[in-house]
Amino acid sequence: LEFLNCCSQRELDLLDILHASAARDAESHDSTQASFVWNISQNATREKHRCATPGISSCVTPGGEYFLPHFGRPLLGCEKLLLQGIPYFRLALGTETEVQLGDLAGNAMSLTVVGATLLAAICCKVSNHFL
């Protein structure tokens, strides 16, 4: 309830819409029992419960508010770092807040993206006319 008291009216409306839509289509999934991640910082027309896949999160962005309906709580900043593949417990962090950790995760490049870029650079054949 403490988190819900901090939410804006638009975010509360989006949570109501997503829960009501999930209850209406109860044959597909129950949002309180499956591990869904809802981005409540989006507009109601952009975030749909039907396209949500259990265990899959949308892109982590700075300032994004992600809600876990099966836990009834938001996604924490350290959890956002783990979603990006960054082990926060190995970082030399100071007294960053949850908001700052979430923004750090949103600004970070995913390790899979960085790895694919490095692999492409290593495998790239160098052309002689560029040298």
Side-chain angles (χ1 to χ4, degrees):
L1 292 176
E2 187 176 328
F3 171 72
L4 296 177
N5 289 333
C6 296
C7 288
S8 68
Q9 188 60 45
R10 187 192 57 76
E11 292 172 339
L12 293 174
D13 289 343
L14 180 58
L15 283 174
D16 287 342
I17 290 168
L18 291 172
H19 276 294
S21 299
R24 181 191 63 212
D25 298 341
E27 69 275 0
S28 61
H29 70 268
D30 182 6
S31 62
T32 61
Q33 301 299 318
S35 58
F36 291 100
V37 180
W38 290 340
N39 186 357
I40 60 171
S41 59
Q42 289 290 337
N43 197 356
T45 58
R46 297 199 50 126
E47 185 69 18
K48 302 202 182 317
H49 80 283
R50 285 191 195 106
C51 64
T53 306
I56 303 294
S57 172
S58 62
C59 182
V60 177
T61 58
E65 284 289 331
Y66 300 91
F67 187 75
L68 306 169
H70 58 291
F71 289 135
R73 66 172 179 84
L75 193 65
L76 302 176
C78 57
E79 295 170 330
K80 291 177 187 179
L81 285 170
L82 287 174
L83 274 177
Q84 291 288 74
I86 301 170
Y88 71 93
F89 44 85
R90 290 187 176 176
L91 297 176
L93 296 173
T95 58
E96 285 80 8
T97 65
E98 286 295 320
V99 173
Q100 291 170 331
L101 288 176
D103 288 344
L104 176 65
N107 286 330
M109 289 290 288
S110 171
L111 290 180
T112 54
V113 173
V114 173
T117 305
L118 287 174
L119 182 64
I122 291 170
C123 295
C124 184
K125 183 178 177 181
V126 178
S127 177
N128 287 336
H129 71 283
F130 288 119
L131 296 176

